[in-house]
Amino acid sequence: MPLTYTILSEQNATTTNAIINHYSASPDFLTLSKSEGDDILQRDDEDASKLQKGIDIAKDKGVLDPNFVPEEYISIDVLGKNPEEVADEILGTVRKSTGGGVVVLCGLSGTGKGTTVATLKEKLENEDKKQVVCWSNGNIFRSVTLLAVTWCEQQENCDGFDPVKALTKENLASFVSMLEFGKFNGKFDTKISGLGLDLLISEVQNTELKVPKVSKNIPTVAEVTQGEVVLFASDAIKKMGEDGIFVLLEGREQTVNYVRTPLRFTLTLSDMSLIGKRRAAQRLAAGALGEVKDGASEEEISKALDGQLAKMMKEA
């Protein structure tokens, strides 16, 4: 596959595959790919460990059922498949369901979850004429954090955010009770009502929910609210699914396990080296695109890629 400017500028799976093929015999690219792959797997392991810690806390508090067993996952090997082929394989099962549906998608970083979700959304909307929502727990964690911070601001004996005082089991239950998911102004949304706040997430997700006092405290709050947020999200997703909406949920198994649905998929790669190769190719593509002009020749693109590879090898 030629490395044309059009392919480079797409910055998608076609781009990364072209770069991987271009450097198939390059020792430097293989070295960079291994380093990228090792880093990804290490971060995935660390993230999984942190999430599991939060889930274990929720089980100890009695928020989550320690004996809960999710529906079985359908494993899809994405090796040699483009995003459309992966999406079509998933849709082969999804389209057999009736009405709305909740589609859960898991997999290691680098297996193409984000691209697959975007492709699924496009196909369901354009080909099946479905209403589709991509759900993320991020804004729910931010909302609970905003409430915890606001609670501290209203206490005379709190000097700034005090997690010990704010994040008690009773307070967390109270904060979550101040969140309501339903239809507001004709569409599904989450309402924050309590401690003097009366907000809709859709209207404040890029303002109040991203101020420093919220952002810097999210990790602390998230560690002890996994269970509460998982249950809130599960209920919200169930409501949308029952309303005929297709909900696409991408995430780690530890959290999405608690969302009831038979439409569960795990993306795998039988050739794990591709995880690192894809990430390396993505980095090279982004760097090279910033150096070449519109309509650059294959020779100019190859030179820019070589320059990026040499730079990254020095930094590795």
Side-chain angles (χ1 to χ4, degrees):
M1 182 183 296
L3 272 168
T4 63
Y5 181 81
T6 299
I7 289 176
L8 180 66
S9 62
E10 287 175 352
Q11 297 283 296
N12 58 14
T14 301
T15 310
T16 56
N17 287 336
I19 292 175
I20 290 171
N21 290 333
H22 179 72
Y23 285 118
S24 60
S26 167
D28 283 350
F29 180 74
L30 294 177
T31 298
L32 178 64
S33 297
K34 185 179 185 308
S35 175
E36 292 287 330
D38 289 345
D39 286 347
I40 289 172
L41 294 177
Q42 181 180 340
R43 285 196 299 271
D44 273 3
D45 286 343
E46 291 173 351
D47 289 346
S49 178
K50 291 176 182 177
L51 277 177
Q52 190 58 53
K53 181 179 179 182
I55 294 297
D56 290 341
I57 290 173
K59 289 179 179 178
D60 290 341
K61 290 191 298 184
V63 176
L64 293 179
D65 179 2
N67 300 314
F68 183 92
V69 178
E71 295 88 343
E72 186 176 354
Y73 282 84
I74 299 170
S75 182
I76 296 179
D77 187 356
V78 301
L79 182 65
K81 301 171 186 174
N82 61 39
E84 289 218 348
E85 291 170 331
V86 175
D88 284 337
E89 191 169 339
I90 291 173
L91 288 173
T93 300
V94 171
R95 284 170 173 156
K96 294 175 184 176
S97 65
T98 57
V102 179
V103 181
V104 166
L105 195 63
C106 298
L108 292 173
S109 297
T111 52
K113 298 187 299 298
T115 305
T116 300
V117 166
T119 306
L120 283 170
K121 185 175 188 294
E122 181 181 3
K123 283 178 172 288
L124 283 167
E125 289 178 337
N126 296 336
E127 297 176 12
D128 298 53
K129 308 304 179 185
K130 300 292 186 181
Q131 185 179 356
V132 183
V133 171
C134 295
W135 176 271
S136 170
N137 288 343
N139 281 333
I140 307 304
F141 282 117
R142 287 181 176 275
S143 298
V144 176
T145 304
L146 174 62
L147 287 164
V149 171
T150 302
W151 181 88
C152 286
E153 291 173 344
Q154 296 175 357
Q155 308 305 307
E156 293 183 358
N157 59 345
C158 278
D159 183 16
F161 178 62
D162 188 331
V164 175
K165 294 177 181 177
L167 305 180
T168 63
K169 181 179 179 180
E170 294 74 21
N171 274 359
L172 290 177
S174 175
F175 298 155
V176 174
S177 73
M178 297 174 190
L179 302 179
E180 178 188 358
F181 183 83
K183 281 192 173 180
F184 302 95
N185 302 324
K187 63 179 182 180
F188 279 112
D189 206 337
T190 301
K191 188 175 185 180
I192 307 171
S193 300
L195 302 179
L197 300 175
D198 185 15
L199 308 167
L200 289 175
I201 280 184
S202 66
E203 296 176 355
V204 298
Q205 59 186 351
N206 293 316
T207 52
E208 280 94 333
L209 293 186
K210 288 192 175 178
V211 296
K213 68 179 182 181
V214 171
S215 297
K216 70 179 182 181
N217 291 311
I218 288 175
T220 303
V221 175
E223 182 176 325
V224 296
T225 55
Q226 289 290 342
E228 288 83 357
V229 171
V230 163
L231 291 182
F232 182 89
S234 179
D235 181 62
I237 290 167
K238 180 182 178 183
K239 286 180 181 178
M240 288 189 286
E242 291 174 345
D243 200 55
I245 295 175
F246 266 90
V247 183
L248 303 181
L249 176 62
E250 173 200 344
R252 305 278 183 178
E253 284 191 24
Q254 289 96 329
T255 55
V256 299
N257 275 348
Y258 292 88
V259 176
R260 282 295 185 195
T261 176
L263 302 175
R264 320 179 76 86
F265 303 88
T266 299
L267 302 188
T268 64
L269 259 175
S270 51
D271 179 3
M272 292 292 287
S273 71
L274 270 178
I275 290 178
K277 289 177 181 177
R278 285 179 171 179
R279 184 58 55 86
Q282 288 169 351
R283 291 186 62 200
L284 291 174
L289 184 62
E291 291 192 355
V292 298
K293 296 179 180 179
D294 190 358
S297 67
E298 290 182 38
E299 182 180 350
E300 290 170 329
I301 291 170
S302 181
K303 184 177 179 181
L305 287 169
D306 288 344
Q308 289 296 313
L309 179 56
K311 177 183 177 182
M312 291 177 193
M313 285 298 295
K314 289 181 180 178
E315 296 172 348

